[in-house]
Amino acid sequence: EEDALAQEDARLVTDALKLLKPADRDVLMLKYEEDMTYEDIADMLRIPLNTVKSRGRRALKALKVACTQISSKDVYTDVKI
């Protein structure tokens, strides 16, 4: 049962990530999937460090909203960020 819940959570996050702005999603993926520092992300994307930090904060907030909306709806097409 724990595996099923973990799979459902992973699907929820994956679906929610698709709703984020690409630039915000990129920062989250590099930070949490690739385990990069904000400094490394800024260097890689050639953008200011504070921009990376802002995108990261905005993306986490949007991800939380998206996950909440998706988990409370049966039909994903109604979800807007």
Side-chain angles (χ1 to χ4, degrees), residues 28 30 35-36 44 54:
L28 281 188
L30 291 170
D35 201 29
M36 293 177 68
M44 180 182 174
S54 295

Side-chain angles (χ1 to χ4, degrees), residues 54-73:
S54 295
R55 287 180 185 177
R57 282 190 299 273
R58 182 175 55 235
L60 286 173
K61 287 179 184 178
L63 186 65
K64 181 178 179 181
V65 169
C67 285
T68 300
Q69 289 180 345
I70 290 170
S71 65
S72 68
K73 292 190 179 287

Side-chain angles (χ1 to χ4, degrees), residues 8-56:
E8 180 64 22
D9 286 347
R11 187 179 66 81
L12 175 67
V13 171
T14 299
D15 290 346
L17 281 168
K18 293 174 186 174
L19 299 173
L20 300 182
K21 294 178 182 178
D24 294 347
R25 182 176 53 243
D26 290 345
V27 170
L28 281 188
M29 297 304 292
L30 291 170
K31 175 71 176 162
Y32 296 103
E33 287 290 319
E34 301 298 326
D35 201 29
M36 293 177 68
T37 65
Y38 284 135
E39 291 83 4
D40 290 340
I41 295 169
D43 289 342
M44 180 182 174
L45 299 178
R46 296 188 171 113
I47 59 176
L49 176 59
N50 284 336
T51 300
V52 173
K53 290 179 179 180
S54 295
R55 287 180 185 177

